[in-house]
Every structure is written in C-alpha cells, then in structure tokens.
Amino acid sequence: MDGLRDRDPARIGAYTLLARLGAGGMGQVYLGRSPGGRLVAIKVIRDEITDHPEALARFRREVETAGAVRSAYTANLIDASLDAAPYWLATEYVSGPTLGGAVAARGPLPPETCRGLFAALAEGLAAVHGHGVTHRDLKPQNVILAAQGPQLIDFGIARAAGQTALTEAGFAPGTPGFTAPEVLLRNEVGPAADVFALGATLAYAATGRPPFGAGEPAGVSYRAVHEAIDLGGVEPGLAALVEACVVKDPAARPSLAEVVARCGVRAALVEDTFYAGLAGLGEAVPQTPPPRQVPATPEGSAVPPAPAAPPVGTHDLPTASTPHGYGYTPTQTAQPAPAARGRTAPWMVAVAVGLVVGVGAATAFVLMPKEKDGDSAAKGGKSPAPKSSTSSSAAAKGAPAYAGDKLDRSLWSSATDACNLPSEERAGDGFMMSLSDPDHPENTSPTITFDNKVKIGIRDKYASADRKPYYVTVSVKSPHDIDPSTGKPVEGLLTENRVVGYTSKPVDLYGDSDSQGWNWATYPDDFQTWVKGKPHPSIPLANDPGDWTVEFHHIRTPEDYTSIMCGGFTAK
C-alpha cells in the first residue's frame, strides 16, 4: 500500500481516496472510503486507453463478471461508472496478506493448515463455478488470507459461460507454473483447469517453492506440460491429493467436491492457530489524508498542480502487460519502495479484486482482428514492397544492433498450427503477423509448404503517429539443431532446436513501417545468427525440411528481449 501522489485525484465518484493499492495493465487501483465509511477498492481505467474499443469492452465485461459472482469467497462489486471517462469500478476491500507473501514471510504451511486451506479454496472455486464463471488465474498471489477466511481475487481473465473471447495476439491466459497443460496447448479452459491451478497453489503453500521451478516463463510452462510437480518433503497424503489435481489429463482430475471430501477437515480454518497468525499480517488502513497544500512561488502566486500522468509503467510492475499498457496484468500488488522510506514490508499488503476480463489465445500464433481495408497482407494477399531491414531511422533512434542467440523452447507444429509455449510478453491488441511466399504472394502459411524464401511481416493495427519507439526483431528457427560446419542437422542425431535461431535486424515497429504500417523481412536474406557478438549466415530452408518456428520479440538490448508472438511454416 502506497501513499497518494500529487497527481492522484482526491475523490473518485462519491469515494474519498486514501492510498494506492497497486497498478495494472489497464489502470490504477486505489483504497477508498464511501460517504458512510465503508472501505472499497477502486480501479480507474487509464486515460490514454479510454478511446481504445477493445480495452473498454474488456472493462465492461469485467464489471459484468464481478456483478455475476457473489460468494463468501470473493469481494463483491459495489459500484461502477461506465458511461463516461473516467471509467471505474469499486469492490469490497479485503485486508490480509497474499498466500504468496505469507509463505515468503513465515515459510511453508503445516499439513493440517494446508488441508484446511485446500478445502476452503475448493469450496470457493465451486461457488464461483456455480455462477458459470471460471477463474483462470488462481495462484498464491491471488489468494488473500483474510481473517474471515481465504478470499479469491483478481478474476482478471475470468470468463462466464457463453462469453466470446476478445481477440488478442500472443497471449496465453493464466500464469506459468499454475496454468494447466490443456490451456497452454489447446486453449481448453474449464473447471478442470482451475483444479490444476488449485493443486499447484497448494503445492507452493506446502513447500514454499514454485511448483514447476523458477526461471523463464517458457521453461516453466514447458515443465508444467511435460514434467512432474515438485512435492519434495510434503506429507504423503497431502502430496497424493495435490498430484491428483495436477495430472496432465483434465478428465482424470477430481471434482472440487471430491477435493473437499478428501481433505477431511474437522474444524473451521479460522480456528487454525497457524492460519490466524498469518491472517493478522495485513496492513493498517491509513487515515483520511489532510487537504493538500499548494506551494507558492516567491512572488506569492500559486504553483499550478503537476499535470496528470499515467500510473506506474509496465516495467515497474511485477507482471508483464502489453507494450502500450493495454490489457491484462495478472496480479495487482503494491510496489516495493526503498527501505529509507520506512514503509511496511511489501508482502504485508492488503489486496482487493482486480478484474480485467481480457481473454486471449492459448497458442502464440496470431488471431487476426476483424479485417479492415488495407489488411489483405495479413491474409496472404499481395503486400507493398518491403522496406530495407537496415533502416537508418531505426539506427538513429537507438535500436539495438542485433539479438544475441539464447535458449528458446518454443516450437511451432503444423499439426496444431500453434506453438507449444505461450509468449513471454503479451502483444498489443492490434499486433498482426504475415507469412507469405515472395515468389507466390497469393500463398500464405500454413496452407503451403515453403521451398525457397519466406516473407515475414509485423504490424500494429492500432498504431498512431505519437507511439514511442518499440523495437522488434524476428527470429526464424529450424526444426533441429544445426551443425555449424555443414549448415545441416547433426548427422545421425536429430535434436529439437532449443535456441532462438536466425534473427532479423531490429526495427522500430512504428518508425520504420511502410505506408500501411507493416515492417518486413525475408528469410534467409535478412537473417543471421549472432554468437558472442559475431554474425553467422542463415541456412537455406532445404537444409532442414520440416516445421520451422517464427517468433517476434520485443527487444531492448542485444541480450534483453522477450517473445511477443509465435507462428511458423513448413519447409520442404
């Protein structure tokens, strides 16, 4: 919980603001007080995206979902303003530490406390499912250990039955390590996926360790799909229940009613002395701030207030968002501050619901938005002539010179027309990709097999002239590890390619595009692989027939870049 800043409003609607609770991809979350003295959490959508139709549609859907879910295990919707900017919603304020913060502070929970928490959360999820809604992002940071019992928060990507997913490119719902395999592989979201997340969450509570290890999101997701959960040291009976919840086949997982029955609780969780000690770690609510004093100039004239500014930027948040602030940030938490400020420890946080319903594709391959005039290139139609990948304007703006090679486990499959792992960073709502044959522009992947060259394009459908530079590099990866001495797979040993592969020169997505907003590169002409700062040429497609992977990366430095979209094509 942070103090208000000078640029923050004193009131939102009828509510007096007391503090900042955190920031998310769509806006700022405040602690507020109603005229009658009730504490609420208020989320205000960012001014700069109020004209963005998909962002407003998600915010409206968030309000609908919050109003639909009424449970003792969730914070209820109290108020909302959807008619005109500023758009906001208010929910009940829930005080207490997150499960993640409590475990970090006190260590793993005892087995009996775990069982009580397991049963309570399963009962809470069953109540949510009873309203026709799946949570889709259950994890330790989204469980509040309140005095009255655990609360499920942040239905940021929840979806009610019958709702249509809003199109988003390069975004997989959920959080690596807690997202079920069927969601990662097939975007198959249902109650069983919440059961998987529940098991992973309790594994963390019982061990104090990430259930599928730490590291890059792609690697964590790979282990969730293919490897066993970490339950070392967990009491056997509890471990068996967790293992049942996280089996790879969703049909084999127990129902939530079975989970409750197998926990065998004999008393209320709030009577558990260990739990009671954790629930008391929440922060004290600040007093109503005094009226702000406006400083005066030496001449005695009032200094105008600081201009309004957006909330904390995406790189200051604990979870990723879109490059332009649109969309979903999984966890709403207060930001750490320097120790000299004397603030409460960052894990002692009082959290409220942060609902941003933004449902995307589990695969990283682009889902095309509704086509407008001029969008035929995305469908494989003839596109304008590509610009040079060595644009001078990009260099003048400080674009990184290249992307260094690094480990990468994303692989595209023609069988599913999808990549096996989600992207590391969520792409913008308007991001689009194009894969076409420059010799035959009427053909596009995945309907054809490429034999010579591939023309690759990226575009932001909602780009505007005032966009800040956003540098992108494209990587093209052969199906197998390549022997550098021959340019072909290692003879007698076909090993999956686990590196980024060949990359294009980074360009500014907004400053280097053609008249229709596209940036283009052609493989193999515009691609190299960089090892320790030295370039090596790309190989012909014919050297390694099979499914090739194409990834788009947001690049900051040669060693700091993250994937935002993934697709592929078949080479013969």
Side-chain angles (χ1 to χ4, degrees):
M1 190 183 301
D2 290 318
L4 296 174
R5 302 177 186 177
D6 289 340
R7 64 175 179 258
D8 290 327
R11 301 176 65 85
I12 292 290
Y15 302 95
T16 300
L17 300 188
L18 304 178
R20 283 179 161 222
L21 292 177
M26 288 187 72
Q28 182 69 46
V29 185
Y30 296 100
L31 175 64
R33 177 177 54 78
S34 73
R38 185 178 190 178
L39 293 176
V40 296
I42 304 173
K43 178 157 56 179
V44 184
I45 193 171
R46 292 184 175 192
D47 289 340
E48 64 266 35
I49 60 173
T50 55
D51 294 328
H52 193 274
E54 269 114 351
L56 286 179
R58 274 188 287 277
F59 191 72
R60 292 179 185 277
R61 183 168 287 179
E62 167 184 0
V63 175
E64 294 173 3
T65 304
V69 177
R70 294 281 172 172
S71 166
Y73 298 94
T74 62
N76 294 324
L77 178 70
I78 294 174
D79 199 356
S81 176
L82 301 175
D83 296 330
Y87 301 94
W88 55 269
L89 64 80
T91 64
E92 291 178 307
Y93 172 74
V94 180
S95 180
T98 66
L99 173 60
V103 171
R106 298 287 177 85
L109 277 55
E112 285 308 307
T113 305
C114 281
R115 283 189 175 84
L117 182 62
F118 217 151
L121 292 177
E123 191 172 82
L125 279 176
V128 170
H129 293 174
H131 290 279
V133 173
T134 51
H135 188 288
R136 291 165 47 105
D137 196 27
L138 178 62
K139 58 185 175 183
Q141 290 79 12
N142 286 345
V143 175
I144 299 300
L145 305 183
Q148 68 271 30
Q151 299 279 299
L152 298 168
I153 66 162
D154 202 350
F155 289 70
I157 51 176
R159 188 169 71 184
Q163 284 184 334
T164 301
L166 295 171
T167 297
E168 297 181 10
F171 174 54
T175 299
F178 298 90
T179 304
E182 68 271 18
V183 179
L184 294 169
L185 296 174
R186 302 182 297 276
N187 196 21
E188 184 181 298
V189 180
D194 279 351
V195 173
F196 181 96
L198 175 63
T201 297
L202 264 295
Y204 174 84
T207 65
R209 300 185 299 270
F212 292 95
E216 292 188 0
V220 174
S221 295
Y222 180 89
R223 291 190 290 272
V225 171
H226 298 288
E227 298 178 7
I229 194 168
D230 176 11
L231 291 172
V234 178
E235 187 267 325
L238 181 60
L241 180 54
V242 170
E243 287 175 336
C245 291
V246 299
V247 295
K248 309 305 183 186
D249 179 6
R253 294 172 201 150
S255 67
L256 291 169
E258 291 177 69
V259 172
V260 173
R262 290 180 61 174
C263 287
V265 296
R266 298 288 188 271
L269 180 60
V270 294
E271 298 174 2
D272 184 290
T273 55
F274 191 90
Y275 178 88
L278 298 177
L281 297 176
E283 285 187 286
V285 175
Q287 299 297 313
T288 301
R292 297 173 187 171
Q293 300 296 319
V294 179
T297 64
E299 291 77 17
S301 60
V303 175
V312 179
T314 55
H315 293 296
D316 296 324
L317 297 175
T319 48
S321 184
T322 72
H324 310 300
Y326 306 148
Y328 167 63
T329 296
T331 305
Q332 314 278 357
T333 61
Q335 294 303 300
R341 297 176 65 181
R343 287 184 42 221
T344 309
W347 51 265
M348 295 180 67
V349 56
V351 188
V353 168
L355 296 170
V356 185
V357 175
V359 185
T363 64
F365 193 73
V366 69
L367 297 181
M368 295 299 183
K370 184 177 180 181
E371 186 174 2
K372 290 184 179 179
D373 294 341
D375 284 357
S376 59
K379 299 287 187 180
K382 189 171 183 178
S383 54
K387 295 187 64 176
S388 169
S389 63
T390 57
S391 169
S392 59
S393 60
K397 295 174 184 176
Y402 64 91
D405 204 11
K406 65 178 182 180
L407 291 176
D408 183 275
R409 297 176 184 271
S410 292
L411 293 170
W412 179 83
S413 168
S414 58
T416 60
D417 188 17
C419 291
N420 63 319
L421 295 176
S423 296
E424 298 167 294
E425 179 180 325
R426 181 187 174 279
D429 293 328
F431 280 26
M432 307 167 71
M433 73 167 73
S434 172
L435 304 176
S436 60
D437 187 337
D439 299 323
H440 303 280
E442 70 279 6
N443 294 331
T444 58
S445 176
T447 60
I448 64 169
T449 298
F450 292 79
D451 58 1
N452 185 26
K453 295 184 178 182
V454 181
K455 184 179 175 183
I456 303 167
I458 182 172
R459 173 195 184 203
D460 184 354
K461 186 177 180 181
Y462 301 118
S464 60
D466 59 351
R467 295 287 200 206
K468 294 182 180 179
Y470 182 80
Y471 297 112
V472 175
T473 186
V474 184
S475 68
V476 176
K477 178 166 59 173
S478 57
H480 306 104
D481 281 339
I482 300 300
D483 183 344
S485 64
T486 64
K488 296 183 178 181
V490 179
E491 187 174 355
L493 182 64
L494 291 180
T495 304
E496 283 186 348
N497 196 335
R498 296 297 180 88
V499 295
V500 166
Y502 306 97
T503 58
S504 66
K505 184 176 178 63
V507 295
D508 178 8
L509 183 61
Y510 305 115
D512 298 311
S513 57
D514 63 21
S515 61
Q516 293 189 12
W518 286 92
N519 283 271
W520 300 96
T522 299
Y523 185 88
D525 300 357
D526 300 325
F527 288 78
Q528 296 174 308
T529 185
W530 293 78
V531 180
K532 297 183 179 179
K534 295 182 179 181
H536 300 270
S538 55
I539 64 170
L541 296 177
N543 280 20
D544 192 15
D547 290 344
W548 287 56
T549 303
V550 177
E551 286 187 274
F552 297 81
H553 306 268
H554 176 201
I555 183 168
R556 291 161 287 273
T557 72
E559 305 302 327
D560 179 13
Y561 56 95
T562 50
S563 62
I564 54 174
M565 291 195 296
C566 180
F569 61 90
T570 301
K572 66 179 181 182

